[in-house]
Amino acid sequence: MATMIETPGVTVTQNEGAGGTGERSRNLILNMGPQHPSTHGVLRMVLELDGEVIVRATPDIGYLHTGIEKSAESKYYQQVVTLTDRIDYLAPLCNNLAYVLAVEKLLQLEIPRRAQWTRVMLAELTRLNSHLVWLGTHALDIGAMTVFLYCFREREELLKIFEMASGQRMMTSYFRVGGLALEPPLGLLERIENFISYFPDKIDEYEALLTKNSIWVGRTKDIGYISPADAVAWGVTGPCLRAVGLPLDLRKDSPYSSYNEFQFEVPTRTEGDVYARYLVRIAEMRESVKIVRQALEGMPEGAWKADAPGVTLPDRDQMKFSIESLIYHFKIVTEGFNVPAGQVYHAIEGPRGQMGYYITSDGGPKPYRCHMRSASFANLQALPKMIEGRLLADVVAIIGSIDIVLGDVDR
Amino acid sequence: MNAETLAAHPALQRLVESVTTDRNEVTAAALRQNWRAVAEAMRQEGFDQLCDLTCVDWFPAEDRFQIVAQLHNTQTHAWLRIQTRCSAEAPAETLSTVWPAANWFEREVFDLFGVRFAGHPNLTRMLLPDAWEGHPLRKDYPVEGYR
C-alpha cells in the first residue's frame, strides 16, 4: 500500500499494484476524517477504492484517547464513577450503572429495590436520549435535517430530567456504589410521566418523516449487510446484532438491577442492513417507554441507598448529631473504602450494545485494574465487513447506522 | 453451565490448571502453551462470542501479565472467563484465529501493555501515536514528572 498522506480532509493517493508485479493498480486510497462531520467524532477511515466501490476499509482510531483506564487506577472506587460518564458521553447513566454494578458485585452489596428501579428507569431514559441523538445525526448525515431538530427538541426535555435528578445535564454521575447519589427529588416522577405521555406520539412523528420516505429507504435498504455468523464472531452487540435476527439482549439473558421484573419485548429484524438497524432502534424506543411507564407505576418506596455504613455516605442530618456518621463520612471521603480482592466482569445492555466493566481489586481502596469493554469499539471493528464491496456514498450511512461514539471507542 | 460441569469437561481437564467460581463467575486458568487450545476447546463447547480481552499487569511478579478473556455463549447465555499468564519475552498465542473479534482487543493490549501475541496478523499501535515511547498501562510506567 502506498504511504498515507498526513494532511486532514480528503487526500487521494495512487496505489502500487499488489503482489510486486510492478503493475500500477487502478485503486485509489481515500482518506476520510478524522475531522469529518459524518464520522461522529474523530474517526479516520482509510478507504481503498476501485472506481466508486470500496475494496478495503481500515478504521484508524485513537484520536480521542484520554487514558481513562489509567486514571481509574489512581482514584477511589467512588471517584471513578465520574470518569465513566466521560467514556460514552451520550449514555452516561448506563456507564455509571455498569460500573457500579461491577463494584457492587465485588463488594457483594445488596441494593434496595427503590434504587434498582430508579436505576432501570433512568437507564431507559438514557437509552432514549442516546437513540435520539443517533437518529438525529444519522438522518442529518443522509440529508434529512428536520429529524435532527425534532430529536433534539425531545432530548432537551430528557436532559432537563437528568439535571433535575443529578444537577447535571450530561455528566450525571448519579449512580453511586451502594445506590444513588441523592434521593430522587420531589416532582421528578411527575416530570418523567409527563414526558413519556407525549413521547410515543413524537416517535410516530419521526417515523412519518422517515420510515416510508423513499429517499430514506433508498439510502438505507440493502446496505451495510452483515451475516449473523460474522456479527457474532466479530463481537457485534446491541441493535446491530438484533438487526440480523439474533434476539440477544442482556436485559433478558442475564438480567441485572431487577430488569427481570419488567415486561418488554426484544425487537429484532432479519435483514441485517442499515434500514433494519433503524427499525430495531425505533422499536427499542417504544419498548423503553414501556419499561419507564412500568417503573413509574410500580416504583417501590423505601431506602435509595444500601445499608452499608463503610461504603455509602451517611445522611447529612445524622452527621450533625452522630459522631459515628461524621467519622464514616470523613473516612469514606478521605480514604475511600477497601474492596475485597478478586476480579469481576459485569456487562449491561447499553444503547449501543454490551457495555462491560472488568475490575480487578487487590484489596485496596482503588481499582487495581479497571477495563471498559465498550460496545462501540467492538462494533467498529466489524465496520469493514459492512463497508467492503459497497459504494463510497454508502459509507456515511453505514457509519451512522452502527451508532459509534468515539469517546466510547478510544476511552 | 456451572463450574462443576465445566471443570469435568475432558478438554479442560487436560488443558487447564484450575477452574474456580467466585461471585458467581467461572474462571479457567490455563498455562501459556495451552492458551489457544483452551480457547479452541471452549469455542467448540459453544462459547461463540468473545466479549472482551484485556490484560492485568502484576508487576513485579514473574510472568507479570495476566491475559483475561470473557466468553459468552449466545445460545445458553453462559459466561466463562479464561486467563493465562505471560511475560513480554514469552508471548501467548493470538486468539484472533479463533474469534476474529480478538484482533483489536489484542492490538489494544499490545499498545497499552507492550504484550505481544504470537501469530497476530497486524500487531501495531492502535490508540497511541506510532512514535509513542513506552506502554502506559504498565504499573512501572511513570505517572508524574518527566518521562
Side-chain angles (χ1 to χ4, degrees):
Chain A
M1 200 191 280
T3 47
M4 241 51 77
I5 289 185
E6 294 296 324
T7 41
V10 173
T11 323
V12 177
T13 321
Q14 194 79 36
N15 190 29
E16 292 287 338
T21 54
E23 193 180 309
R24 288 181 82 84
S25 81
R26 293 168 53 82
N27 291 356
L28 295 176
I29 302 286
L30 182 73
N31 180 39
M32 179 177 164
Q35 285 83 16
H36 191 288
S38 77
T39 57
H40 296 243
V42 278
L43 167 68
R44 176 171 171 233
M45 294 285 296
V46 181
L47 304 168
E48 191 180 332
L49 300 172
D50 179 11
E52 272 198 77
V53 177
I54 288 155
V55 181
R56 193 179 306 140
T58 316
D60 181 14
I61 63 170
Y63 294 91
L64 217 55
H65 180 61
T66 45
I68 284 179
E69 290 179 9
K70 187 74 175 175
S71 306
E73 289 174 9
S74 59
K75 298 210 179 305
Y76 297 130
Y77 279 94
Q78 207 73 280
Q79 293 173 321
V80 177
V81 176
T82 56
L83 292 177
T84 63
D85 289 327
R86 285 148 179 85
I87 297 169
D88 181 352
Y89 41 78
L90 293 180
L93 284 161
C94 287
N95 276 295
N96 292 170
L97 182 59
Y99 171 75
V100 298
L101 285 173
V103 179
E104 283 158 7
K105 201 191 244 182
L106 268 174
L107 285 164
Q108 298 189 297
L109 268 188
E110 196 66 40
I111 305 302
R113 276 186 84 231
R114 183 179 174 198
Q116 292 192 16
W117 277 54
T118 309
R119 285 174 174 185
V120 166
M121 182 176 72
L122 289 172
E124 290 307 316
L125 289 175
T126 306
R127 190 181 313 277
L128 289 179
N129 173 25
S130 171
H131 281 5
L132 282 175
V133 176
W134 157 78
L135 181 61
T137 52
H138 185 34
L140 190 64
D141 288 344
I142 303 183
M145 195 165 191
T146 321
V147 187
F148 179 80
L149 299 173
Y150 281 19
C151 289
F152 271 60
R153 182 186 60 194
E154 270 72 68
R155 179 178 183 248
E156 184 61 28
E157 177 60 21
L158 277 173
L159 292 182
K160 283 180 179 156
I161 288 171
F162 296 147
E163 187 182 16
M164 192 172 175
S166 70
Q168 260 279 20
R169 284 158 62 85
M170 281 180 78
M171 302 298 137
T172 47
S173 300
Y174 186 56
F175 303 155
R176 298 294 163 84
V177 178
L180 308 173
L182 301 158
E183 185 170 14
L186 286 175
L188 179 74
L189 299 186
E190 287 72 24
R191 188 152 189 178
I192 294 174
E193 197 164 5
N194 177 41
F195 175 76
I196 62 156
S197 68
Y198 68 75
F199 187 66
D201 293 343
K202 305 292 178 185
I203 305 178
D204 295 341
E205 224 170 75
Y206 313 144
E207 283 218 80
L209 285 169
L210 294 174
T211 305
K212 287 179 182 160
N213 180 332
S214 58
I215 303 174
W216 178 261
V217 174
R219 286 295 308 272
T220 56
K221 227 173 187 164
D222 301 328
I223 284 166
Y225 175 76
I226 187 164
S227 69
D230 272 348
V232 172
W234 284 91
V236 174
T237 49
C240 297
L241 188 59
R242 293 191 280 276
V244 300
L246 297 172
L248 291 170
D249 189 321
L250 292 172
R251 292 175 293 174
K252 283 268 190 220
D253 306 338
S254 322
Y256 51 88
S257 195
S258 72
Y259 262 109
N260 46 350
E261 296 174 30
F262 293 86
Q263 263 83 49
F264 62 99
E265 303 291 318
V266 178
T268 53
R269 302 288 299 182
T270 50
E271 297 89 346
D273 58 1
V274 174
Y275 190 62
R277 286 172 216 142
Y278 158 76
L279 291 176
V280 164
R281 287 201 183 91
I282 291 283
E284 271 186 26
M285 295 213 283
R286 296 187 194 278
E287 294 302 320
S288 290
V289 170
K290 268 197 222 166
I291 298 175
V292 174
R293 189 166 288 134
Q294 288 170 44
L296 286 173
E297 281 163 6
M299 181 61 73
E301 292 292 311
W304 47 274
K305 63 183 176 189
D307 181 22
V311 175
T312 54
L313 289 178
D315 287 333
R316 290 209 78 84
D317 297 344
Q318 278 191 10
M319 270 166 56
K320 288 168 187 153
F321 303 104
S322 139
I323 183 69
E324 290 82 6
S325 296
L326 194 62
I327 291 171
Y328 270 129
H329 185 274
F330 185 76
K331 280 181 81 78
I332 293 170
V333 171
T334 54
E335 52 190 51
F337 48 81
N338 288 343
V339 171
Q343 54 177 346
V344 291
Y345 178 76
H346 198 282
I348 70 158
E349 189 70 30
R352 271 157 268 286
Q354 190 184 121
M355 194 178 260
Y357 278 72
Y358 170 74
I359 301 177
T360 297
S361 168
D362 60 350
K366 296 171 181 175
Y368 187 78
R369 171 95 173 98
C370 177
H371 173 72
M372 295 98 182
R373 186 268 188 213
S374 59
S376 302
F377 183 83
N379 290 357
L380 182 61
Q381 184 174 200
L383 183 66
K385 279 265 160 219
M386 305 177 195
I387 287 183
E388 283 165 8
R390 304 298 316 179
L391 294 177
L392 177 60
D394 297 335
V395 172
V396 168
I398 298 170
I399 292 178
S401 78
I402 61 167
D403 189 20
I404 45 167
V405 163
L406 267 295
D408 201 24
V409 174
D410 295 340
R411 303 180 300 282
Chain B
M1 192 181 296
N2 57 27
E4 289 77 50
T5 45
L6 262 180
H9 190 273
L12 274 189
Q13 281 197 329
R14 191 160 44 84
L15 297 169
V16 163
E17 272 189 307
S18 67
V19 181
T20 50
T21 310
D22 179 31
R23 298 167 173 96
N24 291 326
E25 296 188 343
V26 184
T27 307
L31 287 171
R32 183 174 63 244
Q33 54 268 31
N34 293 337
W35 178 236
R36 214 183 87 107
V38 168
E40 260 168 9
M42 289 300 100
R43 174 82 182 73
Q44 295 296 323
E45 195 54 40
F47 288 96
D48 47 357
Q49 198 174 38
L50 176 93
C51 288
D52 188 25
L53 188 146
T54 189
C55 179
V56 183
D57 181 7
W58 290 103
F59 179 79
E62 205 178 327
D63 280 349
R64 59 191 276 198
F65 298 113
Q66 175 192 357
I67 310 289
V68 192
Q70 319 289 340
L71 311 180
H72 185 220
N73 185 330
T74 57
Q75 300 299 318
T76 63
H77 310 304
W79 290 86
L80 173 68
R81 172 164 46 235
I82 55 172
Q83 63 181 41
T84 190
R85 294 293 283 258
C86 70
S87 64
E89 295 74 37
E93 260 188 283
T94 178
L95 298 189
S96 60
T97 48
V98 186
W99 296 277
N103 190 321
W104 275 24
F105 288 113
E106 289 180 346
R107 271 182 75 190
E108 190 191 336
V109 170
F110 165 73
D111 191 359
L112 301 176
F113 286 93
V115 178
R116 288 172 186 283
F117 293 91
H120 191 284
N122 180 27
L123 207 58
T124 51
R125 288 234 187 236
M126 148 171 264
L127 296 173
L128 299 175
D130 288 342
W132 193 271
E133 282 177 25
H135 301 282
L137 278 182
R138 287 189 175 189
K139 287 286 178 186
D140 52 353
Y141 187 83
V143 288
E144 51 191 34
Y146 292 105
R147 251 194 307 118

